[in-house]
Amino acid sequence: MIHFTINGQAKALDVEDDTPLLWVIREQLGLTGTKFGCGVGVCGACTVLLNGKPVRTCILPVVVASGAEITTIEGLDHPVQEAWLEEQVPQCGYCQSGQLMAASALLDEIRQPTDGDIDERMTNLCRCATYDRIRKGIHNASAKMPEPPPEPVEETSPEDAPADGGE
Ligand code: FES
Ligand code: FES
């Protein structure tokens, strides 16, 4: 029995340990927004977040996800989605759930990525070659990212104060 949380819901599934996670997500859980493309870990159509990191589920045995938190496109709530609509990124759309998952993970790690960061991290393939719009979508989403919480201010103890009151 494999246990994990997916899109905030706890699941316990009786599956073979080496079943690809993609099969479990699509066939057993019915979450068909995650797509099958190459099946060999190259195209990224099958990308989901595993504990916040993008993974290619067509080659990931489900046992690796044991105890993990998984997010699929059905559970994504991120500025990339609005940005993708504004920039009209998709063409046929087939690769786009994977692109969105990868882009959200990139922005969660680097709030203001450069074009170089995008080119380096966005390795998902798109047969419609929407790469320019993907880049625009990421920059658009970057401007919508919430401000990070302020750094905690270090408190000074009375012992740190100068003995003469600082005069
Ligand atoms: S279907 Fe998984 S990487 Fe292509
Ligand atoms: S939008 Fe068609 S494959 Fe990417």
Side-chain angles (χ1 to χ4, degrees):
M1 191 72 79
I2 305 277
H3 297 258
F4 55 67
T5 303
I6 187 161
N7 300 335
Q9 291 191 327
K11 299 284 178 191
L13 296 167
D14 189 10
V15 282
E16 296 291 327
D17 285 0
D18 61 356
T19 308
L21 179 58
L22 179 60
W23 267 239
V24 175
I25 289 172
R26 287 182 56 87
E27 303 294 330
Q28 296 196 249
L29 299 176
L31 297 170
T32 54
T34 306
K35 301 301 184 195
F36 175 78
C38 64
V40 292
V42 172
C43 74
C46 62
T47 303
V48 305
L49 303 182
L50 190 77
N51 294 330
K53 301 286 178 208
V55 293
R56 296 187 175 183
T57 54
C58 64
I59 52 166
L60 193 77
V62 66
V63 68
V64 176
S66 196
E69 289 204 16
I70 300 168
T71 306
T72 69
I73 189 68
E74 290 87 350
L76 188 67
D77 180 12
H78 195 279
V80 286
Q81 289 151 288
E82 193 182 337
W84 248 233
L85 287 174
E86 286 176 4
E87 302 294 344
Q88 303 207 355
V89 175
Q91 191 163 318
C92 81
Y94 196 82
C95 73
Q96 295 292 332
S97 55
Q99 304 282 5
L100 283 159
M101 301 314 287
S104 70
L106 166 63
L107 285 161
D108 287 345
E109 202 179 325
I110 308 174
R111 273 183 80 243
Q112 294 182 313
T114 62
D115 285 346
D117 294 327
I118 294 169
D119 292 346
E120 187 182 317
R121 304 294 194 93
M122 291 296 294
T123 56
N124 291 27
L125 302 180
C126 174
R127 291 192 67 175
C128 303
T130 60
Y131 300 111
D132 282 351
R133 295 202 298 277
I134 287 171
R135 191 186 272 185
K136 276 191 199 155
I138 290 172
H139 287 305
N140 180 325
S142 171
K144 300 182 195 306
M145 291 289 287
E147 289 295 323
E151 295 284 322
V153 179
E154 260 185 49
E155 289 198 12
T156 50
S157 67
E159 293 90 66
D160 296 333
D164 61 359
E167 288 168 22

